[in-house]
Amino acid sequence: MKSVMNQILLFSVAVCLTIGCGTYKSNQDKSTTSKPVTSEPESKAEQLLTSEPAGAKEVIQARKSAKNDEEVVLVGRIGGSENPWIEGRAAFSIVDNSLKACSDIPGDGCDKPWDYCCETDKLPTAMALIKVVDAEGKLINSDARKLFKLKELQTVVVKGKAKRDDAGNLTVFASGIFVRN
């Protein structure tokens, strides 16, 4: 009799666990299918431009002339450090096209040519931070490499609003990005 009761108890526990797990899985499925509120765009096409905006300024020129909240068009190559990306965000740094990446120097075997280690004296005044924003002006919470299929040393043209800090650094809150081939 005791073994029959043990079997019934074990069967009851197994049924409860199965039902409980089934209910939990069902709730879990619901939560993963509902759309969370984020600042990720529904489509990257909003920011990814199909044609290059006219009037692009090089980074050095823009750093000298851009004013806060001014609409700017800027061109540069992705790089400036060993890791020019802001992880998990649509943000990265670009460098003026007049600077040479290590890969542009014959015989240079640098394994991260996008860090511009051969141009360290010029680099601080030849960089800009690009933050790609949504329609409300919020930074997109998605990695720029995945969202726009970007990689180091690609040339990009961005349009957006300039922001300056007290040290003269330039950030562009980009509403559009064009990738040159």
Side-chain angles (χ1 to χ4, degrees), residues 73-88:
V73 178
L74 197 63
V75 62
R77 290 172 79 184
I78 298 171
S81 65
E82 284 186 29
N83 183 9
W85 311 101
I86 295 180
E87 297 295 325

Side-chain angles (χ1 to χ4, degrees), residues 4-177:
V4 171
M5 289 188 66
N6 282 342
Q7 287 177 342
I8 292 172
L9 180 62
L10 283 173
F11 177 76
S12 297
V13 169
V15 167
C16 287
L17 286 175
T18 303
I19 291 171
C21 290
T23 303
Y24 176 73
K25 186 174 191 304
S26 175
N27 288 340
Q28 186 179 28
D29 287 345
K30 285 181 188 174
S31 68
T32 58
T33 57
S34 66
K35 279 190 162 184
V37 178
T38 67
S39 62
E40 286 188 41
E42 288 185 24
S43 168
K44 68 180 179 185
E46 290 177 40
Q47 292 81 17
L48 195 59
L49 304 174
T50 56
S51 61
E52 184 172 329
K57 292 183 179 180
E58 290 286 341
V59 176
I60 293 172
Q61 181 185 9
R63 282 181 61 109
K64 290 177 183 175
S65 65
K67 310 258 185 288
N68 269 336
D69 297 320
E70 177 182 12
E71 285 290 327
V72 296
V73 178
L74 197 63
V75 62
R77 290 172 79 184
I78 298 171
S81 65
E82 284 186 29
N83 183 9
W85 311 101
I86 295 180
E87 297 295 325
R89 302 288 187 262
F92 51 92
S93 59
I94 63 172
V95 177
D96 193 276
N97 284 317
S98 67
L99 272 65
K100 288 186 176 187
C102 300
S103 57
D104 298 334
I105 302 168
D108 191 311
C110 183
D111 62 337
K112 294 182 181 169
W114 54 87
D115 68 2
Y116 287 82
C117 63
C118 301
E119 298 274 14
T120 54
D121 57 327
K122 299 175 189 169
L123 197 54
T125 60
M127 290 179 55
L129 178 62
I130 307 303
K131 293 183 174 183
V132 185
V133 296
D134 63 16
E136 286 91 42
K138 295 179 183 173
L139 178 61
I140 296 172
N141 292 323
S142 188
D143 195 290
R145 292 169 284 193
K146 294 176 185 168
L147 188 62
F148 302 113
K149 295 185 178 20
L150 296 175
K151 60 184 178 185
E152 295 86 358
L153 296 178
Q154 275 186 305
T155 300
V156 295
V157 180
V158 298
K159 69 175 188 171
K161 288 195 178 212
K163 292 287 183 187
R164 306 299 301 256
D165 67 11
D166 294 337
N169 296 313
L170 176 63
T171 299
V172 175
F173 290 84
S175 58
I177 179 171

